Amino acid sequence: MKRLMWIVLHSRFGVPGIVAVGVMLASLALQFAWILPMETRVEQARATGGDRAQARALIHREMARHADPAQQIEVFYQFFASASSPTDVLEKLYRIAAKHSLALPKGQYRLLRGTDSRVERYQIVLPVRGSYPTIRAFLAQTLNEIETVSLETVRFEREKIGDSDINAEIRLTLFLLGKA
């Protein structure tokens, strides 16, 4: 019976027709197994106000996957355009530090200009004093809430073995869309 069905299909549609039907069935399975559940997760993240950074990253990845190269570059730059001015980002950084009871008495801020890039880099060096868990929580919240900040280095130093507080030097880079 299976052989008879194969002969009928082969004689009626040929090998290209059978391959086309197979590709169509595979794409249908992909739609139901992968794409629809992903769309549902994105909608749930939007509805519940979940982790904005994860939802935004998922949306950008999906947009970039199906776009031509020019659109991929624009999607990339739109991510940085969503960031505010450097002063707004620094204000948010200082609010996060205050929430974790960390004082940021002084910092070094330097604009690093590239030759032909539309993305500007601001290097931020912050000396911090506090407990290790507090500093770590501050860094985690900073990296989660300010999507355009990356952590370059952290250097920890304890003055005495028995001290509960440590000195840390945190080096961050803030990426913003510059003037094109």
Side-chain angles (χ1 to χ4, degrees), residues 2-3 6 11 26 54 67 76 93 108-109 132 150 155-156:
K2 289 182 183 178
R3 183 160 172 75
W6 173 257
S11 66
Q54 287 179 343
F76 174 75
L93 182 72
Q108 298 173 5
Y109 309 92
Y132 176 79
S150 70
R155 186 176 56 85
F156 295 105

Side-chain angles (χ1 to χ4, degrees), residues 94-154:
Y94 277 80
R95 274 198 312 263
I96 294 170
K99 179 181 175 186
H100 292 282
S101 302
L102 291 174
L104 302 177
K106 61 180 178 178
Q108 298 173 5
Y109 309 92
R110 188 172 66 177
L111 176 62
L112 304 171
R113 293 194 186 267
T115 55
D116 58 350
S117 177
R118 287 175 45 189
V119 177
E120 293 180 341
R121 297 180 306 143
Y122 289 89
Q123 189 177 61
I124 304 166
V125 180
L126 300 170
V128 178
R129 181 163 177 82
S131 69
Y132 176 79
T134 303
I135 295 171
R136 186 171 172 155
F138 161 70
L139 286 172
Q141 186 175 356
T142 298
L143 295 174
N144 190 37
E145 290 187 16
I146 307 173
E147 296 92 357
T148 57
V149 167
S150 70
L151 177 63
E152 282 187 37
T153 59
V154 179

Side-chain angles (χ1 to χ4, degrees), residues 16-60:
I18 293 172
V19 170
V21 168
V23 169
M24 186 173 63
L25 291 174
S27 66
L28 200 62
L30 180 67
Q31 173 73 22
F32 287 108
W34 187 69
I35 295 174
L36 289 178
M38 184 178 309
E39 288 176 350
T40 303
R41 285 195 309 265
V42 169
E43 289 304 319
Q44 286 174 346
R46 283 184 185 156
T48 61
D51 189 10
R52 293 181 310 116
Q54 287 179 343
R56 183 177 292 153
L58 181 63
I59 291 167
H60 284 293

